[in-house]
Amino acid sequence: MQLSVVRHGETTFNQEERLTGQLDIPLNDIGRRQAQQVGIYLAERKIAAVISSDLQRTRNTAREIARHHNLPVQEDPDLREILLGVWEGRTYSDVALSEPEQVRQWRTNPVLFAPDGGELLPQVEQRVQRALDRWYTQYPDGNVVWATHGGFIGILICHLLKLDLNRRRQFAHSNASLSEFRYSTDEIGILCLNETSYLRTLHVPLAADREL
């Protein structure tokens, strides 16, 4: 399976550097234009399926891809962003200032620590593996597009490369970026990471890609 992984387009929360998690925030105007551009970029590809997390920012990004191929958008809740519990909706700076010890634990040992009501990273990694198993079983020889989230993509990369999950922050995931992998039960290959060349015609700055 060739796995083409697209991060959703920009939202107001991305602009404001707010922790979104699983809050269902829509694309902003820039995000909608970014989604259109990634759809155009992938229009000539032979795509077997377009899969999205069930949150509207990914679903609407996925629709801009799927419409060029007359495909439905199939939803998979396992592709959701990391659940950040009580931190969701707050800015990075507010959380870091008011809860420095919790932020320190999240940055140094997120495998064992999560904010109240949030997910541990191994729980997200379990979702990653379930999704890989599910869609590889259905499309072992196809090009499958996932529309998903930045935090999820970082964990996906670490999982595929068998890296410590703490290293997820080493990989950038700009809004509407494309990362591609060759995936099977006995082979993993990286084709590209964080491709955004097709967004240059928009002449807009990419929102900061930051994670606590």
Side-chain angles (χ1 to χ4, degrees):
M1 176 175 75
Q2 180 166 321
L3 181 61
S4 301
V5 181
V6 176
R7 186 186 176 200
H8 62 80
E10 186 181 279
T11 71
T12 56
F13 272 30
N14 295 144
Q15 284 186 329
E16 297 168 358
E17 296 190 350
R18 292 185 182 275
L19 294 158
T20 310
Q22 294 187 8
L23 293 178
D24 201 8
I25 304 301
L27 299 175
N28 62 16
D29 180 62
I30 290 173
R32 288 188 288 272
R33 291 159 59 197
Q34 290 172 331
Q36 291 167 0
Q37 287 300 114
V38 70
I40 292 168
Y41 182 73
L42 294 174
E44 301 304 315
R45 302 279 188 93
K46 185 177 181 180
I47 292 174
V50 178
I51 321 299
S52 171
S53 99
D54 59 346
L55 300 176
Q56 62 177 311
R57 59 190 183 274
T58 48
R59 189 168 59 240
N60 290 334
T61 300
R63 284 173 179 162
E64 291 296 334
I65 300 168
R67 68 186 185 88
H68 291 280
H69 306 274
N70 295 315
L71 290 170
V73 173
Q74 302 181 65
E75 294 185 14
D76 186 346
D78 277 336
L79 300 187
R80 280 189 171 206
E81 182 59 290
I82 303 168
L83 180 64
L84 293 175
V86 296
W87 288 355
E88 293 186 356
R90 298 171 62 188
T91 64
Y92 294 97
S93 57
D94 172 48
V95 172
L97 183 64
S98 63
E99 301 177 40
E101 176 57 23
Q102 288 87 340
V103 169
R104 186 194 67 77
Q105 292 185 62
W106 171 251
R107 291 185 65 86
T108 60
N109 200 4
V111 171
L112 297 177
F113 174 84
D116 289 344
E119 282 181 295
L120 296 171
L121 296 193
Q123 293 176 299
V124 184
E125 188 174 25
Q126 290 172 2
R127 293 201 272 116
V128 166
Q129 187 59 61
R130 286 200 302 265
L132 288 169
D133 291 344
R134 180 179 301 116
W135 299 109
Y136 179 71
T137 298
Q138 295 190 47
Y139 303 101
D141 301 313
N143 184 354
V144 173
V145 175
W146 282 2
T148 183
H149 307 265
F152 182 95
I153 296 170
I155 293 173
L156 168 67
I157 293 172
C158 289
H159 179 74
L160 292 176
L161 299 182
K162 295 180 171 57
L163 298 175
D164 188 294
L165 295 179
N166 276 346
R167 298 184 64 183
R168 73 198 186 284
R169 289 193 298 270
Q170 294 180 246
F171 302 97
H173 318 293
S174 302
N175 287 116
S177 63
L178 173 68
S179 297
E180 296 188 283
F181 309 91
R182 192 169 52 248
Y183 178 81
S184 70
T185 54
D186 56 7
E187 180 186 22
I188 305 296
I190 298 177
L191 304 178
C192 73
L193 292 176
N194 200 42
E195 171 63 50
T196 58
S197 60
Y198 45 84
L199 301 178
R200 292 173 188 160
T201 57
L202 297 179
H203 302 296
V204 296
L206 295 177
D209 177 33
R210 293 182 55 192
E211 183 185 340
L212 281 173

